[in-house]
Amino acid sequence: MAKLLKQKKMEDSAMNNRRTFIKKTISGSLAIGALGFPLDAIGASKTEKITILHTNDVHSQIEPFPSDHKTFPGQGGIAYRASIIEKIRNTEKNVLLLDAGDIFQGTPYFNLFGGEVEFKLMSKLGYDVATLGNHDFDLGIDNLVKQLPNALFSFVNCNYDFSKTALKDKILPYKIIKKGKLKIGIMGVGIELNGLVPDKHFKGIVYQHPIKCVQKYADILKNDEKCHLIICLSHLGNKYDDKEKVSDEWLAQGTRNIDLIIGGHTHTFLEKPISYKNLDDKTVIVNQVGWAGVNMGRIDFSFEKKLKKNSVFGQTVIVDKKSSTNEFFL
Amino acid sequence: MRKAYFSFYSIAFILLLLGCKTFSLSLEQDGLINIKNATADSTILELYEPYKLQIDKQMNVQIGVLENDLLKEKPESNLGNLCAHIALVQTQLYLNSKIDFAVLNYGGLRVPSIAKGNLLTADIYKLMPFDNSLVSIELDGPTTLKVIEKAAAEGGWPVDGIRFKIANGLPKEILINGEPFDLSKNYTIATIDYLANGGDKMDFLREKKQNMTGVFFRDAIIEYIKKQTLNGQTIKAEKDGRLSNE
């Protein structure tokens, strides 16, 4: 594991700022893949691939569920997730590990240690970026500030104004990560805390409308930062009957410049990611993998130079002691 | 240009349909994903072991015996009845004042069931992981009715000290301590601070004065069960038709 982390750091430091011609639209080498040619056969110099692994609503589920658990017998567990991630890192050059919030609350690990264990273990797993869910405020802003030094990864949120709180400058609107030749912009967006979290626990945080804020930073990541891939970590929820309530469905269709939305909050077990068309009629992929770390999402993007196209496939990895289910989708 | 793209998508999609299985397999063979026979990462296990030991020491403590299986259901359930009853009697005890009825939110009970047998501290942490405290609030008749209407509109929330029928999401034939509900009377209810602070869209409770017990509901449940055990009692709960759909 330590070796892995070291290797990851080396990759990060070796990243270059050279401007490339990598552009993307959706699909493309998928067709090649469909004919059975491995994507790598195209040639490493011409393609760049990024593997995005993600969790949401893990809710302090450190240990696997017990083997007699009614819904998820023997499933989940951060140590099992770790070994799966390690295997993927051993075969993939560019891996991002992300979380869409509600890291806290649900087991005595949180009740007794206030989130210390969750942050320390996620750091050890090499998480890159996470966003905040409502339950991450369950012990208040001060607790979050106290636990942040245990997190060796970044937190992003662009629609909470933290400027009058102790979280000021500790939560970024977005984070840019370079992997290989790719520049990836990752932003975060959160649900209205009013009514979900006791007032005293989020005092001073000003909630702003998600769509407006996300669009502002998506435009910055696209036009100013020239990111090849733009990801939004969202704790808004997948979709609601109440169409007035902002969801990932709304976010995907009501914005431009976002490629991928990693969702949370509604504990939605998507069998496969959902494709939407955004305001520019371009594809946005939305994924969410239930809760408690029972599943881990995986989405791979391939970028090709000059051909200006990319492929995408994704799947849900069931974190289980014995077996796995791999799913393919467009 | 767009048209060209469109036809390209179509071809790609058809190829994909034809070759889906092959592609998926070739990916697996390429070793992009191979999580079969996943084992635990020992570094991670070692890292959380000291925390686990502390937790197990505290959690694997038997506090009582549960006589029947408890289930969470709507409109009424034995698990909900037990929890609401504990909220009522413990709030009464901590504040040393009379409570008319107790109401909890359905979503606040975090397990679908508890199996009969030995009750451990861990079971109660799973049932109620949140640090919600018990409070009482004195409400005028119309606000009390809003609370009851909310419990009915949600399809039946856990309650104690009150009975009513639910017809088309509305409460009727409301009895509080056996007496018909009186709109001109004030009632004192026991609940958790999450609801009293306006959680679950109970904004109308926000400005009401709370009498705080300062005791987490979870700790109150543990205390109640321990006391029963000390008195040689087991824990059991039944449905009694306090809430029904019409």
Side-chain angles (χ1 to χ4, degrees):
Chain A
M1 204 63 201
K3 195 180 120 214
L4 250 177
L5 282 177
K6 201 175 152 200
Q7 188 188 329
K8 195 171 150 274
K9 271 187 196 142
M10 280 168 64
E11 274 175 27
D12 284 348
S13 63
M15 67 197 173
N16 60 65
N17 287 322
R18 255 186 312 128
R19 197 164 164 221
T20 67
F21 291 99
I22 298 168
K23 287 271 168 76
K24 64 187 187 315
T25 55
I26 212 75
S27 208
S29 61
L30 242 175
I32 300 169
L35 291 170
F37 295 103
L39 293 168
D40 283 349
I42 300 160
S45 61
K46 282 185 183 167
T47 64
E48 193 74 87
K49 192 178 150 196
I50 176 96
T51 298
I52 293 141
L53 304 177
H54 61 93
T55 50
N56 58 276
D57 300 276
V58 178
H59 283 296
S60 307
Q61 193 66 46
I62 305 294
E63 296 172 39
F65 282 107
S67 51
D68 61 351
H69 190 271
K70 281 208 171 76
T71 330
F72 308 116
Q75 293 185 51
I78 195 163
Y80 298 90
R81 188 155 89 238
S83 67
I84 291 164
I85 292 165
E86 188 170 347
K87 269 186 190 162
I88 294 168
R89 285 211 178 105
N90 284 339
T91 54
E92 297 296 336
K93 186 165 69 111
N94 302 322
V95 178
L96 271 180
L97 183 54
L98 308 173
D99 187 274
D102 275 8
I103 293 165
F104 290 173
Q105 189 69 275
T107 72
Y109 280 94
F110 180 65
N111 300 121
L112 266 57
F113 307 111
E116 176 190 330
V117 192
E118 291 85 331
F119 280 1
K120 280 185 175 170
L121 292 175
M122 284 173 76
S123 302
K124 197 73 183 167
L125 260 63
Y127 270 82
D128 296 285
V129 187
T131 194
L132 294 167
N134 45 305
H135 283 296
D136 298 317
F137 293 96
D138 275 3
L139 287 177
I141 290 174
D142 291 344
N143 176 67
L144 200 48
V145 171
K146 187 179 138 196
Q147 299 301 342
L148 277 180
N150 292 319
L152 306 177
F153 49 93
S154 306
F155 279 94
V156 289
N157 175 288
C158 72
N159 71 317
Y160 296 157
D161 180 355
F162 295 107
S163 60
K164 291 185 179 67
T165 72
L167 283 168
K168 186 180 183 236
D169 300 330
K170 290 183 161 61
I171 313 292
L172 314 165
Y174 63 84
K175 168 95 179 165
I176 291 173
I177 294 184
K178 288 170 183 165
K179 290 276 178 186
K181 297 186 182 74
L182 299 172
K183 196 173 171 185
I184 300 130
I186 304 159
M187 71 178 104
V189 63
I191 195 164
E192 175 146 33
L193 300 172
N194 191 7
L196 287 174
V197 180
D199 290 359
K200 61 179 178 190
H201 287 335
F202 69 98
K203 197 165 176 273
I205 295 177
V206 182
Y207 169 84
Q208 295 159 308
H209 198 280
I211 304 293
K212 203 182 87 191
C213 297
V214 166
Q215 193 56 67
K216 178 183 160 191
Y217 287 102
D219 291 347
I220 291 172
L221 290 170
K222 179 77 176 179
N223 302 324
D224 304 339
E225 301 284 1
K226 312 278 185 210
C227 288
H228 299 112
L229 184 69
I230 297 171
I231 302 171
C232 183
L233 301 178
S234 157
H235 202 79
L236 297 175
N238 189 253
K239 60 177 168 188
Y240 300 101
D241 293 335
D242 177 2
K243 295 297 167 198
E244 297 291 299
K245 214 169 163 187
V246 192
S247 63
D248 293 343
E249 183 181 48
W250 181 351
L251 188 66
Q253 293 173 319
T255 58
R256 37 176 61 92
N257 293 334
I258 297 168
D259 298 292
L260 172 65
I261 297 169
I262 308 273
H265 188 64
T266 40
H267 296 194
T268 310
F269 282 95
L270 289 178
E271 275 183 34
K272 55 182 189 177
I274 309 169
S275 277
Y276 292 102
K277 292 291 181 192
N278 72 8
L279 290 179
D280 292 332
D281 207 31
K282 286 181 178 157
T283 301
V284 190
I285 291 162
V286 173
N287 203 16
Q288 191 179 150
V289 290
W291 70 288
V294 164
N295 294 341
M296 182 169 64
R298 173 178 177 162
I299 295 179
D300 291 35
F301 285 91
S302 281
F303 294 79
E304 282 184 56
K305 281 189 199 175
K306 288 171 188 167
L307 290 172
K308 296 185 179 182
K309 58 198 173 193
N310 79 329
S311 72
V312 51
F313 80 89
Q315 65 193 154
T316 299
V317 179
I318 296 176
V319 182
D320 191 304
K321 281 177 195 170
K322 292 188 191 78
S323 62
S324 71
T325 302
N326 298 336
E327 269 193 59
F328 177 78
F329 70 95
L330 178 61
Chain B
M1 187 63 187
R2 175 151 294 175
K3 201 176 167 191
Y5 263 98
F6 184 76
S7 59
F8 179 76
Y9 286 151
S10 313
I11 294 165
F13 186 68
I14 291 161
L15 285 171
L16 179 77
L17 286 178
L18 292 170
C20 188
K21 208 170 173 184
T22 322
F23 188 43
S24 171
L25 282 172
S26 78
L27 279 169
E28 231 173 306
Q29 283 162 6
D30 283 352
L32 297 183
I33 294 271
N34 181 15
I35 58 159
K36 280 179 179 125
N37 305 313
T39 46
D41 184 309
S42 57
T43 323
I44 300 293
L45 288 179
E46 281 163 29
L47 242 170
Y48 73 73
E49 184 69 16
Y51 299 98
K52 183 175 159 55
L53 288 174
Q54 280 189 64
I55 288 170
D56 289 350
K57 203 173 146 194
Q58 248 178 285
M59 293 299 139
N60 294 338
V61 176
Q62 189 186 339
I63 53 172
V65 174
L66 181 61
E67 202 145 296
N68 55 340
D69 289 337
L70 297 181
L71 269 180
K72 181 178 145 184
E73 296 168 294
K74 281 181 180 180
E76 187 201 352
S77 71
N78 57 1
L79 178 61
N81 290 354
L82 176 67
C83 291
H85 178 66
I86 295 174
L88 191 146
V89 297
Q90 292 301 107
T91 304
Q92 216 156 239
L93 180 75
Y94 299 137
L95 297 176
N96 196 23
S97 69
K98 176 90 177 74
I99 303 291
D100 291 305
F101 68 95
V103 59
L104 302 170
N105 59 325
Y106 186 80
L109 309 182
R110 304 301 282 188
V111 293
S113 60
I114 304 178
K116 66 179 175 188
N118 292 341
L119 272 174
L120 307 181
T121 305
D123 294 318
I124 310 307
Y125 269 76
K126 284 175 196 158
L127 170 68
M128 181 45 62
F130 307 138
D131 291 347
N132 291 326
S133 300
L134 287 173
V135 298
S136 81
I137 341 171
E138 192 183 334
L139 302 172
D140 56 27
T143 314
T144 305
L145 184 59
K146 276 189 184 176
V147 173
I148 299 165
E149 282 171 347
K150 172 71 178 175
E154 293 286 343
W157 269 2
V159 292
D160 194 44
I162 184 171
R163 303 174 69 91
F164 57 87
K165 288 179 180 163
I166 305 170
N168 297 320
L170 288 170
K172 55 184 278 194
E173 297 171 34
I174 306 164
L175 295 175
I176 296 173
N177 294 318
E179 300 283 324
F181 169 69
D182 183 348
L183 202 58
S184 66
K185 265 185 71 180
N186 283 6
Y187 292 92
T188 304
I189 68 165
T191 188
I192 49 172
D193 56 355
Y194 170 72
L195 295 181
N197 289 326
D200 255 330
K201 299 198 174 137
M202 304 271 276
D203 292 280
F204 54 91
L205 290 181
R206 236 164 220 283
E207 303 306 321
K208 307 293 173 196
K209 189 181 165 288
Q210 299 172 14
N211 301 303
M212 290 182 269
T213 64
V215 181
F216 289 153
F217 185 30
R218 177 181 58 240
D219 294 338
I221 299 172
I222 293 170
E223 194 184 320
Y224 174 90
I225 294 170
K226 280 184 173 170
K227 201 163 56 189
Q228 293 286 107
T229 307
L230 268 179
N231 293 336
Q233 304 282 312
T234 55
I235 304 295
K236 52 179 177 261
E238 302 294 346
K239 289 198 272 189
D240 58 10
R242 62 186 70 177
L243 297 187
S244 58
N245 286 317
E246 201 188 69

